[in-house]
Amino acid sequence: MSKRKSKDIHLPAGECLSQVQRLLRERFCHQQLPVGPFGFESQHKHLLELLKRTAVHGESNSVLIVGPRGAGKSMLLNCVLKELMEMNEVKKNILLVQLSGLLQTDDGIALKEITRQLNLENVVGDKVFGSFAENLVFLLEALKKGDRSSSRPVLFTLDEFDLFAHHKNQTLLYNLLDISQSAQTPVAVVGLTCRLDVLELLEKRVKSRFSHRQIHLLSAVDFQGFLRGVELQLRLPPDFPDRRFAEDWNAGVEALCEDKSAEAVLRKHFNSSKDFRSLHMLLMLALSRVTVSNPAIRPADLLEASRLCTSDAKANVLHGLSILELCLVIAMKHLNDVYEGEPFNFQMVHNEFKKFLQRKSHSVHNFEKPVVVKAFEHLQELELIKPMDGASVRSQKEYQLVKLMLDHTQIMEALQKYPQCPTDVKQWATSAFG
């Protein structure tokens, strides 16, 4: 027992916390792969078997992974690839080509990227090919093993698969799926997309060569499973340097997940989004409030993080406006109230602002009209006001109809938080008749 105690390391609290923050930030920001496919065990098994048949037995396959953004499509694929690459009979054999519809915007760029990832630039050299298909077939022929009897299997992953369907004639998709149907070269094509109607985008000749295998990721995790996921995300591993600190931290995490107010915050988050990336953002903001004097995540930290996550972006823009711009927004709010949401023009806003200056204000400077015009145009650039489609282009700027893109609640909340807002401006905003 004494030996075991002597091996325990006790680090200063500040050092422990900096290690905790570094470890958890890496987990949240670098999207580290989980230990297992949380909630997608059957899909994981299906995809692993499919790719193993290509990697080990040389059987060509094609499959689509379909699910909403943030559902875990890339996570599932990366978990399977990691497991696949740890198998001795696979890691020395298979070649991986990763393409994205956001980066490879046409087939020419995609072909160059395939050549680069397969390290075949020196093989292609200055050769001229008659067609895309000839070039691709030549690349795959160049991957023949030394005995020329068999090719190395190639795994193509196509992120944002639906964007490849917009390429001219869908040449890349046609040729990849055509090769996956022929027995000459073992190829697996894995597409990732968030569009359920992706097959409708494919041309008839492309669709006929696709295997029509689809793996759908529609999270079936209930709230208790979500809470368990939160706990796993925040727990420290057994190999953390200071074991006693890790035990205290993990006990604090368990207490946090059992706390009623923290549970209410997490349930609200769960009901609005089951996306783990948005959960990571919430936990990241809560983690940033941990200090030496507050060495654990408290329910209050989670509540503040939730408030920041769900804060209104447009209301936040109002906090950075000048007093003049804020006055114009209030003038527009009054016009909205008077004319019941009907569009208005700059001249009407300017008249409303002048009435306020004459009657009530002692703290706001009487600005020249060109300055007020500039402030109004800035609000338009910030998209807080929007020109009406029916407005005539030939009419003067002052008389073009616009609409306010903020509601009463957003303006009043922003005024409460606006730094050093003059009292008479606040009173003007709350008055019924402007």
Side-chain angles (χ1 to χ4, degrees):
M1 191 74 178
S2 59
K3 280 186 182 177
R4 188 175 169 186
K5 277 187 178 177
S6 64
K7 286 182 181 177
D8 284 352
I9 302 169
H10 298 299
L11 300 172
E15 194 173 328
C16 281
L17 284 175
S18 63
Q19 291 214 28
V20 167
Q21 291 191 322
R22 181 185 54 77
L23 191 147
L24 294 184
R25 277 179 185 144
E26 278 182 10
R27 193 180 288 172
F28 300 152
C29 301
H30 299 174
Q31 299 291 315
Q32 283 187 347
L33 293 178
V35 178
F38 184 68
F40 300 121
E41 288 79 5
S42 61
Q43 292 95 327
H44 178 271
K45 186 183 176 185
H46 182 187
L47 187 61
L48 183 62
E49 284 298 318
L50 203 66
L51 298 185
K52 202 191 287 184
R53 291 208 295 269
T54 301
V56 179
H57 306 298
E59 177 190 308
S60 291
N61 284 302
S62 55
V63 63
L64 273 177
I65 304 173
V66 185
R69 295 203 182 279
K73 300 183 293 294
S74 300
M75 180 272 291
L76 174 69
L77 178 61
N78 290 332
C79 279
V80 168
L81 290 177
K82 181 172 177 276
E83 204 168 317
L84 207 60
M85 293 304 181
E86 285 169 358
M87 299 177 188
N88 289 326
E89 69 258 63
V90 172
K91 63 183 175 186
K92 293 178 184 175
N93 195 29
I94 199 166
L95 293 163
L96 180 63
V97 176
Q98 295 175 302
L99 303 175
S100 168
L102 295 169
L103 299 174
Q104 284 75 51
T105 50
D106 65 50
D107 291 340
I109 297 170
L111 195 60
K112 282 180 184 172
E113 185 60 17
I114 293 168
T115 310
R116 188 190 69 78
Q117 289 191 34
L118 294 176
N119 296 319
L120 293 173
E121 294 102 321
N122 57 338
V123 179
V124 175
D126 297 323
K127 289 185 177 67
V128 178
F129 296 95
S131 69
F132 180 94
E134 284 176 23
N135 198 343
L136 190 59
V137 168
F138 175 80
L139 287 176
L140 296 172
E141 281 291 317
L143 298 172
K144 293 275 188 186
K145 289 183 182 172
D147 57 5
R148 297 182 179 277
S149 62
S150 60
S151 294
R152 290 182 70 178
V154 187
L155 169 59
F156 289 91
T157 68
L158 278 64
D159 201 6
E160 305 290 346
F161 181 85
D162 49 289
L163 297 181
F164 287 99
H166 297 302
H167 290 190
K168 189 182 177 185
N169 300 330
Q170 298 183 357
T171 312
L172 175 71
L173 294 182
Y174 172 77
N175 284 287
L176 283 179
L177 295 172
D178 190 48
I179 290 164
S180 76
Q181 281 214 326
S182 64
Q184 57 180 8
T185 308
V187 165
V189 181
V190 182
L192 291 85
T193 181
C194 57
R195 288 192 60 165
L196 289 168
D197 64 342
V198 67
L199 291 182
E200 303 306 313
L201 303 175
L202 300 180
E203 290 178 9
K204 195 174 179 182
R205 63 185 189 134
V206 179
K207 199 187 288 188
S208 66
R209 283 161 175 77
F210 175 56
S211 68
H212 289 263
R213 279 193 195 92
Q214 292 188 45
I215 296 173
H216 288 268
L217 296 193
L218 299 169
S219 179
V221 176
D222 60 2
F223 181 63
Q224 290 308 314
F226 182 78
L227 269 182
R228 176 72 184 139
V230 171
E231 193 180 322
L232 287 172
Q233 291 293 314
L234 289 173
R235 282 184 78 86
L236 295 179
D239 60 353
F240 190 78
D242 189 328
R243 198 179 65 192
R244 188 187 295 173
F245 181 89
E247 285 170 2
D248 291 344
W249 175 273
N250 290 342
V253 168
E254 281 178 32
L256 177 74
C257 292
E258 288 168 7
D259 184 271
K260 292 296 176 191
S261 57
E263 192 178 305
V265 172
L266 291 169
R267 187 176 286 280
K268 180 186 171 188
H269 191 86
F270 173 77
N271 290 337
S272 63
S273 170
K274 296 170 182 63
D275 176 357
F276 264 84
R277 280 182 294 200
S278 64
L279 173 64
H280 284 161
M281 174 59 76
L282 178 77
L283 298 180
M284 187 74 181
L285 289 168
L287 178 68
S288 66
R289 295 174 64 82
V290 173
T291 58
V292 176
S293 56
N294 167 36
I297 297 177
R298 302 167 302 178
D301 299 330
L302 214 54
L303 188 65
E304 178 62 18
S306 176
R307 191 190 64 75
L308 288 170
C309 277
T310 56
S311 63
D312 191 319
K314 276 191 174 165
N316 288 344
V317 170
L318 291 176
H319 302 162
L321 297 182
S322 66
I323 289 292
L324 170 59
E325 288 163 347
L326 194 64
C327 286
L328 294 183
V329 168
I330 295 168
M332 288 185 266
K333 179 188 93 69
H334 286 307
L335 288 171
N336 254 359
D337 295 342
V338 172
Y339 297 108
E340 297 178 344
E342 288 295 310
F344 45 82
N345 58 36
F346 167 76
Q347 199 58 51
M348 294 163 75
V349 176
H350 191 229
N351 290 342
E352 195 73 21
F353 176 54
K354 280 200 296 186
K355 275 196 286 180
F356 162 65
L357 291 178
Q358 288 162 7
R359 286 186 321 200
K360 297 180 181 176
S361 178
H362 308 291
S363 60
V364 180
H365 180 68
N366 191 359
F367 294 93
E368 295 294 324
K369 190 173 179 181
V371 178
V372 183
V373 170
K374 275 287 179 192
F376 188 80
E377 286 173 353
H378 185 234
L379 292 175
Q380 198 166 317
E381 285 169 14
L382 292 171
E383 297 183 2
L384 297 178
I385 51 177
K386 177 187 172 186
M388 299 301 292
D389 294 333
S392 170
V393 180
R394 287 175 295 176
S395 65
Q396 288 179 299
K397 279 185 182 179
E398 291 96 305
Y399 299 102
Q400 283 182 357
L401 291 175
V402 295
K403 191 172 184 180
L404 183 64
M405 304 306 288
L406 296 159
D407 62 28
H408 176 87
T409 314
Q410 287 174 311
I411 295 168
M412 297 316 292
E413 279 182 9
L415 275 170
Q416 296 305 316
K417 295 172 187 172
Y418 190 89
Q420 297 172 345
C421 182
T423 309
D424 46 4
V425 173
K426 278 188 183 178
Q427 287 172 346
W428 179 38
T430 52
S431 66
F433 303 103

